């Protein structure tokens, strides 16, 4: 037995901020939630946020801004052209990401649209480390075909590879052999792969990838949406990076790439915004011409001056170690509670969300009755917690055959907004998931009764089977 003196001292750490303003939450009754989800066609995207208790739909645009960012809003320069906030933002992107040229966009998909239009021609192939919904769609709309070149481990929810976002270089080489380098304008790499469960890419992998692509004259563009979270994992897991700052790791990683697009609604702690940055001056000329057609003038790109200011400040806050540690560790706290109860989730625990393995939880349901969509609906009915399907509905239909794509991962994403919820909220979420898990045998699945043409997961409607 331990005496008092021998007992380990308990030294907890806590969120690196205090709360200045609160937003009350409303609890609903189970019958109210049954009605709400039926009216929403069993699609959590179609719920009213007023009917939601803890909102884990997404970490996109849902962050709490800091007092400095709110102060930044008051410094908005709403000039149509040449706003001072633009120059501030441009300087921060250069300083932290290292790219020479930047255009703002209204959000990430605006930037995806521009880069796809600027670089992809009909019949091209765009390899990437797993698809993301809007990224792939813009590549396809520009005439390209997406090819998944992520390592096989990423498609296995139980594989604990530390860098499950890595690109399989052999798959890239095979694609080059098959279609020829001139049909591959660029490889699209995402920092922390959203659809794989928020899994990171290692520095070694991007370095080797760059060498391979250089041999064939293929460019490398980065989806930097959650690249700061990726940098945290590199610091934690990769030999030689423990003593490097998040900012140094971010800059080194970006240095292997030719440019990046950004949904600032994630890493950068703002509610709206994005940008597209490149090193090549000719590409910059193209995108800064395209931006005026689709987004706005090249010095605002669809954003208000004040929003660019909040974003510029957000970049500097996002790379602070205390911030990013609290962010990733809060997600890990929730995940570990679920693992303690043997609830199947994607491992290792990623940076922005916990992904419930719906195929393992609802093992009695075939993928065609939408197990993840059903699980997200049941979780909402149980407790008012809103999550999101990331499985067969999100994957959509094959562009050629029109059949459902059947992804290996059929997941429910519990996405944690940044700086919004406390550890107690995580406890409540874990207990609700446990309740739904315990009742898993009762689930019967759904049928789709309305399917929109593009990005169907946002607006599709279902009925209970
Ligand atoms: N890339 C990644 C990796 C994303 O996660 C998102 C958005 C985008 C690009 C597009 O950016 O929404 O600003 O237009 N992801 C959100 C999500 C919607 O919930 O994961 P956007």
């Amino acid at each position: 037995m331990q005496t008092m003196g021998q007992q380990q001292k308990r030294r907890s750490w806590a969120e690196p901020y205090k709360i200045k303003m609160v937003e009350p939450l409303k609890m609903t009754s189970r019958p109210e939630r049954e009605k709400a989800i039926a009216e929403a066609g069993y699609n959590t995207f179609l719920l009213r946020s007023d009917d939601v208790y803890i909102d884990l739909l997404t970490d996109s645009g849902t962050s709490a801004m800091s007092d400095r960012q709110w102060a930044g809003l008051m410094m908005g320069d709403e000039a149509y052209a040449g706003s001072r906030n633009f120059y501030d933002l441009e300087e921060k992107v250069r300083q932290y990401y290292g790219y020479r040229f930047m255009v703002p966009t209204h959000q990430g998909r605006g930037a995806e649209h521009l880069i796809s239009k600027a670089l992809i021609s009909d019949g091209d192939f765009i390899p990437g480390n797993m698809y993301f919904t809007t990224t792939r769609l813009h590549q396809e709309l520009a005439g390209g075909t997406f090819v998944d070149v992520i390592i096989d481990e990423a498609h296995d929810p139980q594989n604990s590879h530390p860098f499950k976002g890595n690109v399989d270089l052999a798959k890239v080489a095979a694609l080059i052999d098959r279609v020829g380098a001139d049909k591959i304008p660029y490889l699209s790499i995402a920092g922390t792969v959203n659809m794989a469960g928020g899994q990171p890419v290692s520095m070694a992998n991007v370095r080797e990838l760059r060498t391979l692509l250089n041999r064939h004259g293929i460019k490398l563009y980065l989806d930097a949406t959650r690249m700061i979270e990726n940098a945290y994992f590199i610091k934690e897991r990769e030999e030689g990076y423990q003593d490097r700052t998040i900012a140094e790791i971010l800059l080194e990683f970006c240095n292997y790439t030719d440019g990046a697009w950004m949904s600032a609604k994630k890493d950068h702690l703002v509610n709206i915004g994005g940008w597209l940055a490149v090193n090549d001056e000719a590409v910059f000329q193209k995108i800064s011409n395209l931006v005026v057609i689709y987004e706005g003038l090249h010095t605002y790109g669809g954003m208000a001056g004040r929003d660019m200011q909040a974003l510029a400040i957000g970049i500097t806050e996002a790379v602070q170690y205390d911030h990013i540690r609290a962010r990733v560790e809060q997600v890990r706290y929730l995940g570990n509670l679920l693992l303690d109860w043997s609830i199947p989730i994607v491992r290792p625990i990623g940076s922005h969300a916990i992904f419930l393995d719906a195929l393992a939880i609802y093992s009695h349901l075939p993928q065609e009755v939408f197990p993840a969509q059903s699980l997200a609906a049941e979780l909402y009915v149980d407790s008012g917690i809103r999550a999101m399907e990331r499985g067969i509905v999100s994957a959509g239909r094959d562009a050629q055959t029109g059949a459902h794509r059947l992804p290996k991962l059929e997941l429910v994403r519990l996405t944690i907004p940044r700086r919004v919820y406390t550890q107690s909220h995580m406890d409540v979420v874990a207990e609700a998931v446990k309740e739904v898990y315990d009742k898993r045998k009762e689930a019967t699945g759904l049928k789709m009764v309305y399917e929109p043409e593009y990005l169907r997961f946002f607006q599709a409607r279902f009925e209970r089977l």
Side-chain angles (χ1 to χ4, degrees):
M1 241 180 56
Q2 283 188 325
T3 67
M4 278 296 277
Q6 289 168 321
Q7 260 175 15
Q8 263 212 325
K9 264 196 213 157
R10 194 185 135 141
R11 300 304 300 257
S12 299
W13 61 275
E15 290 82 356
Y17 49 81
K18 56 185 176 175
I19 295 163
K20 184 165 358 206
M21 192 186 286
V22 298
E23 192 179 341
L25 293 175
K26 194 184 83 183
M27 242 314 202
T28 47
S29 68
R30 192 178 174 103
E32 283 169 337
R33 292 193 294 272
E34 282 282 7
K35 185 162 172 280
I37 195 74
E39 280 173 8
Y42 296 89
N43 185 346
T44 52
F45 276 104
L46 301 179
L47 287 166
R48 289 168 182 245
S49 128
D50 275 349
D51 294 330
V52 172
Y53 174 42
I54 297 176
D55 201 348
L56 307 186
L57 183 71
T58 176
D59 64 332
S60 184
T62 53
S63 297
M65 293 208 298
S66 68
D67 50 358
R68 274 115 184 123
Q69 287 177 292
W70 280 102
L73 289 184
M74 299 304 291
M75 305 297 284
D77 169 7
E78 307 306 341
Y80 187 89
S83 160
R84 101 171 76 80
N85 312 123
F86 165 76
Y87 295 104
D88 209 358
L89 174 59
E90 184 185 49
E91 184 195 311
K92 293 293 183 295
V93 171
R94 277 201 185 124
Q95 183 184 344
Y96 288 98
Y97 290 81
Y99 302 115
R100 293 172 65 204
F101 307 108
M102 186 277 291
V103 292
T105 59
H106 76 285
Q107 59 181 74
R109 69 199 72 177
E112 290 170 340
H113 180 205
L114 302 183
I115 195 73
S116 304
K117 247 192 150 54
L119 299 182
I120 300 172
S121 312
D122 239 350
D124 280 348
F125 294 84
I126 300 85
N129 54 345
M130 202 173 270
Y131 84 101
F132 182 72
T133 53
T134 57
T135 318
R136 180 176 63 192
L137 181 57
H138 278 298
Q139 293 166 352
E140 288 173 351
L141 291 173
T145 301
F146 170 82
V147 181
D148 190 3
V149 293
I150 203 167
I151 57 172
D152 287 341
E153 287 88 338
H155 292 281
D156 172 4
Q158 295 314 317
N159 190 296
S160 60
H161 192 294
F163 290 102
K164 260 172 134 174
N166 279 357
V167 170
D168 185 333
L169 300 188
K171 289 184 188 172
V172 179
L175 180 70
I176 297 171
D177 268 358
R178 181 161 71 82
V179 304
D182 58 325
K183 286 277 171 222
I184 308 175
Y186 65 96
L187 188 144
S188 153
I189 190 170
T192 77
V193 179
N194 193 351
M195 303 303 281
Q199 306 295 337
V201 179
S202 73
M203 195 70 87
N205 186 247
V206 73
R207 201 182 293 128
E208 287 166 22
L209 179 63
R210 180 79 232 194
T211 308
L212 171 68
L213 296 180
N214 277 352
R215 281 209 297 275
H216 298 277
I218 298 171
K219 304 287 184 205
L220 179 57
Y221 282 90
L222 171 70
D223 183 337
T225 297
R226 297 183 187 82
M227 188 57 222
I228 296 172
E229 295 176 2
N230 197 117
Y232 179 79
F233 287 124
I234 290 176
K235 185 176 171 71
E236 177 184 71
R237 297 178 187 168
E238 194 161 354
E239 191 62 38
Y241 288 94
Q242 276 70 48
D243 297 325
R244 305 280 295 279
T245 65
I246 296 295
E248 286 167 346
I249 296 170
L250 178 65
L251 202 55
E252 182 185 337
F253 197 103
C254 292
N255 194 37
Y256 295 118
T257 68
D258 295 289
W261 63 89
M262 180 78 197
S263 170
K265 303 170 74 174
K266 283 79 163 178
D267 263 358
H268 291 165
L269 302 162
V270 285
N271 305 119
I272 193 71
W275 48 259
L276 174 59
V278 299
N279 285 328
D280 184 323
E281 196 161 0
V283 176
F284 173 63
Q285 260 172 16
K286 257 191 186 171
I287 61 171
S288 71
N289 196 201
L290 284 173
V291 78
V292 301
I293 311 174
Y294 296 107
E295 300 282 315
L297 192 73
H298 56 279
T299 57
Y300 76 87
M303 294 177 76
R306 55 180 171 270
D307 291 328
M308 290 192 282
Q309 195 57 44
L311 165 48
I313 297 168
I315 294 176
T316 65
E317 294 181 0
V319 296
Q320 300 307 315
Y321 181 71
D322 284 350
H323 159 71
I324 196 69
R325 175 178 73 165
R327 192 287 184 277
V328 178
E329 297 299 332
Q330 185 181 44
V331 174
R332 206 172 276 167
Y333 173 83
L334 172 61
N336 282 328
L337 289 175
L338 300 178
L339 286 176
D340 285 347
W341 292 326
S342 303
I343 296 174
I345 63 171
V346 172
R347 286 192 282 189
I349 294 166
S351 59
H352 68 304
I354 297 302
F355 291 73
L356 305 175
D357 184 350
L359 280 185
I361 295 173
Y362 288 165
S363 54
H364 60 295
L365 297 183
Q367 208 165 4
E368 285 74 9
V369 302
F370 313 110
Q373 189 78 29
S374 311
L375 183 56
E378 293 309 327
L379 182 64
Y380 172 73
V381 170
D382 176 82
S383 53
I385 293 166
R386 170 154 71 170
M388 178 200 291
E389 192 261 10
R390 292 275 82 151
I392 181 172
V393 184
S394 293
R397 289 181 185 275
D398 186 282
Q400 255 78 57
T401 68
H404 287 304
R405 291 176 169 125
L406 296 178
K408 293 206 181 81
L409 299 176
E410 176 75 22
L411 309 172
V412 170
R413 188 181 75 173
L414 303 165
T415 339
I416 312 303
R418 295 166 185 78
R419 309 194 291 207
V420 171
Y421 293 113
T422 63
Q423 189 157 313
S424 327
H425 289 111
M426 298 302 112
D427 291 331
V428 168
V429 170
E431 289 158 20
V433 171
K434 173 85 164 70
E435 184 73 21
V436 173
Y437 178 68
D438 289 342
K439 292 189 185 144
R440 60 193 178 280
K441 292 283 176 274
E442 294 166 27
T444 52
L446 297 167
K447 72 167 186 234
M448 203 188 300
V449 294
Y450 167 66
E451 178 175 3
E453 187 176 354
Y454 300 109
L455 302 173
R456 62 182 185 176
F457 57 95
F458 283 130
Q459 291 152 335
R461 302 183 67 87
F462 301 82
E463 280 170 10
R464 269 210 175 103
L465 281 173

